[in-house]
């Protein structure tokens, strides 16, 4: 059955006041309410806070004076405005194309710590009605789990997609104990409703940002990704590319930087095999097989880790030779792996023997690859490459062990 068109009442954001703003009384003396994250409902608190901010904007103060009041609310007593000043701003623009300007106003979340690296703030779309600011929408990041944005600054208010409408791009920056992050919130105000235009959060740690173009629309490139925490484990930089695709900004490319660490050579050989780049796969797998050690970079390495990494890299090299119909070269790689000083018998060295035997029987590289993967999957606890993984370390899944057959439907355990 047809879906009813949403009415303006249905589109009102629950985090902004629904009653029209009125001028504050002459004796208006605003005091920001305290916020206790352990007990307060942040949604209800935000609604009341936006109402209070609206009263300040509609007081006899001019806009800059009002923003100074809001900035002071976000600054701990006795400290300079440092963080709060960066997130307190106002920009007028015709966001919905009706010939009348709206206002994007950002202000720190009063009563919260607002330092140089961490400053929660609210960004609200206001419209002017008879000279009074009326809040229409509180901008939030997708997924809508957080109420405030972190360190928001306005980067673009323009048509970045090439469709003739105006988009809003807000950059967020925040820092933890050891790592800073950057992210982008992208949306559009149509006069009644805010449209989030990202499929998933556009963000990454320790990243340099650049902007490009694809099919007439702006792209976002984030290069970096290293998290400065021991718990993150073994990592390498990567470039994320987000592009306009079917009405949303989506992650369209994730390109890790090359690495001479045998684990990453093994991962990249797997990706090259899946992409059909046999020459690159063979070079990378051969480099991993020739490794004399597995460096301990942000992660401890046990003897079984090295044995499994080298053995699986041998399987990757053998798959290249199988696709080239060269069983002799496959056997030579297997012998090299078996004689390797880091290798003792393990699930991957046994799977390599299965791969060669099955290929000799069938002459079918893909079928032999699938049998090899089944052999590894039968012992999943013995298939992990590291005994300890950090939360930032790339990993394969069991259904990627044979890169020639593609991933299975549904989730697959990591190895």
């Amino acid at each position: 059955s047809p879906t009813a068109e949403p009415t303006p009442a249905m589109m009102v954001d629950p985090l902004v006041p629904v009653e029209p703003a009125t001028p504050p009384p002459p004796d208006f003396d605003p005091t920001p309410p305290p916020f206790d994250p352990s007990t307060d409902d942040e949604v209800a608190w935000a609604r009341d806070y936006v109402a209070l901010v609206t009263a300040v904007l509609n007081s006899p103060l001019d806009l800059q004076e009002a923003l100074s009041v809001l900035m002071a609310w976000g600054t701990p007593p006795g400290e300079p405005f440092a963080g709060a000043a960066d997130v307190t701003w106002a920009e007028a623009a015709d966001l919905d194309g009706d010939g009348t300007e709206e206002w994007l106003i950002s202000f720190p979340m009063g009563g919260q710590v607002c330092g140089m690296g961490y400053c929660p703030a609210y960004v609200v779309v206001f419209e002017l009605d008879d000279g009074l600011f009326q809040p229409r929408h509180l901008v939030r990041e997708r997924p809508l789990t957080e109420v405030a944005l972190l360190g928001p600054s306005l980067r673009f208010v323009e048509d970045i997609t090439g469709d003739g409408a105006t988009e809003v791009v807000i950059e967020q920056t925040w820092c933890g104990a050891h790592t800073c992050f950057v992210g982008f919130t992208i949306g559009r105000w149509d006069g009644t409703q805010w449209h989030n235009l990202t499929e998933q959060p556009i963000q990454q740690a320790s990243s340099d940002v650049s902007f490009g173009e694809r099919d007439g629309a702006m792209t976002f490139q984030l290069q970096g990704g290293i998290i400065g925490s021991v718990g993150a484990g073994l990592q390498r930089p990567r470039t994320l590319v987000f592009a306009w695709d079917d009405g949303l900004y989506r992650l369209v490319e994730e390109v890790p930087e090359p690495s001479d660490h045998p684990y990453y050579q093994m991962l990249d050989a797997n990706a090259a095999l899946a992409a059909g780049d046999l020459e690159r796969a063979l070079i990378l797998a051969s480099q991993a097989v020739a490794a004399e050690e597995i460096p301990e970079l942000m992660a401890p390495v046990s003897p079984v880790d090295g044995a499994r990494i080298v053995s699986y890299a041998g399987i990757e090299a053998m798959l290249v030779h199988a696709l080239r119909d060269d069983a002799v070269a496959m056997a030579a790689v297997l012998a090299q792996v078996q004689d390797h000083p880091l290798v003792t018998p393990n699930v991957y060295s046994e799977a390599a023997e299965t791969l060669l035997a099955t290929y000799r029987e069938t002459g079918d590289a893909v079928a032999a690859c699938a049998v090899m993967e089944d052999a590894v999957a039968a012992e999943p606890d013995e298939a992990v490459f590291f005994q300890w993984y950090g939360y930032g370390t790339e990993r394969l899944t069991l259904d990627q062990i044979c890169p020639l057959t593609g991933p299975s439907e549904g989730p697959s355990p990591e190895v």
Side-chain angles (χ1 to χ4, degrees):
S1 60
T3 302
E5 287 295 322
T7 66
M10 294 166 60
M11 294 181 179
V12 173
D13 190 287
L15 300 187
V16 299
V18 294
E19 295 296 326
T22 58
D27 59 350
F28 174 65
D29 183 16
T31 301
F35 175 71
D36 183 351
S38 65
T39 59
D40 286 347
D41 177 351
E42 187 176 354
V43 170
W45 189 92
R47 185 184 301 111
D48 293 341
Y49 190 65
V50 170
L52 181 61
V53 167
T54 301
V56 174
L57 294 171
N58 290 329
S59 72
L61 299 174
D62 65 31
L63 182 57
Q64 288 305 315
E65 291 172 333
L67 292 178
S68 294
V69 170
L70 305 181
M71 191 188 311
W73 287 355
T75 304
E79 295 189 12
F81 283 164
D86 292 336
V87 302
T88 307
W89 47 265
E91 181 77 14
D94 182 4
L95 302 180
D96 55 12
D98 66 354
T100 302
E101 289 184 330
E102 288 74 33
W103 282 87
L104 285 164
I105 300 182
S106 173
F107 44 90
M109 183 180 174
Q112 296 299 290
V113 174
C114 195
M116 292 296 292
Y118 181 84
C119 192
Y122 296 142
V123 177
V124 178
V125 178
F126 286 91
E127 293 181 344
L128 283 175
D129 184 5
D130 291 333
L132 294 176
F133 285 96
Q134 302 286 351
R136 299 303 188 204
H137 184 83
L138 177 62
V139 178
R140 301 169 70 188
E141 181 57 84
R142 176 179 285 176
L144 303 179
T145 54
E146 300 294 334
V147 179
L149 301 182
L150 296 178
S153 61
L154 190 61
R155 288 300 300 259
F156 303 104
V157 182
E158 61 186 73
D159 178 13
I160 67 168
T161 64
D163 62 359
T166 297
E167 285 78 42
V168 175
V169 179
I170 298 169
E171 182 173 348
Q172 296 188 70
T173 55
W174 66 98
C175 297
H178 305 288
T179 307
C180 290
F181 295 78
V182 62
F184 291 91
T185 299
I186 306 172
R188 180 186 298 144
W189 175 250
D190 68 6
T192 306
Q193 186 179 17
W194 176 267
H195 301 268
N196 280 310
L197 300 180
T198 57
E199 181 183 42
Q200 64 191 82
I202 298 178
Q203 62 185 44
Q204 188 172 238
S206 309
S207 291
D208 295 323
V209 175
S210 59
F211 307 98
E213 183 178 313
R214 178 180 298 191
D215 299 328
M218 181 181 292
T219 59
F220 296 75
Q221 294 93 41
L222 281 61
Q223 194 278 327
I226 299 297
I227 299 173
S229 168
V230 173
L234 183 66
Q235 304 166 76
R236 60 172 167 173
R238 64 189 51 251
T239 298
L240 306 181
V241 180
F242 296 85
W244 185 245
D245 180 20
D246 193 26
L248 290 174
Y249 270 94
R250 308 174 194 271
L251 179 63
V252 296
E253 290 182 44
E254 183 172 354
V255 184
E257 291 190 5
S259 171
D260 59 4
H261 192 286
Y263 179 71
Y264 288 126
Q265 291 171 337
M266 181 199 78
L267 292 187
D268 290 346
N270 179 282
L273 274 165
D277 189 345
L278 302 188
E279 191 61 35
R280 174 172 167 75
L282 183 59
I283 291 172
L284 290 166
S286 299
Q287 289 173 340
V289 169
E292 296 181 357
E293 63 175 349
I294 309 298
E296 292 196 4
L297 303 176
M298 301 284 286
V301 178
S302 70
V304 71
D305 299 341
R308 292 172 184 174
I309 290 170
V310 171
S311 297
Y312 180 65
I315 286 174
E316 294 171 325
M318 291 170 69
L319 286 172
V320 174
H321 294 308
L323 289 167
R324 293 174 172 174
D325 196 22
D326 192 343
V328 173
M330 291 176 69
V333 172
L334 179 58
Q336 181 184 3
V337 169
Q338 290 172 333
D339 289 340
H340 196 287
L342 294 181
V343 173
T344 54
N346 64 86
V347 66
Y348 290 107
S349 64
E350 294 168 1
E353 295 173 355
T354 299
L355 174 67
L356 179 57
T358 306
Y359 179 75
R360 282 173 168 165
E361 291 174 6
T362 65
D364 187 330
V366 176
C369 183
V371 171
M372 175 275 298
E373 182 178 88
D374 289 343
V376 174
E379 301 181 74
D381 293 340
E382 303 301 316
V384 292
F385 291 106
F386 287 114
Q387 306 311 294
W388 179 85
Y389 275 104
Y391 60 82
T393 304
E394 296 170 59
R395 299 180 67 173
L396 293 178
T397 53
L398 270 176
D399 61 356
Q400 293 177 296
I401 292 300
C402 175
L404 308 184
T405 56
S408 61
E409 293 184 5
S412 179
E414 291 183 317
V415 293

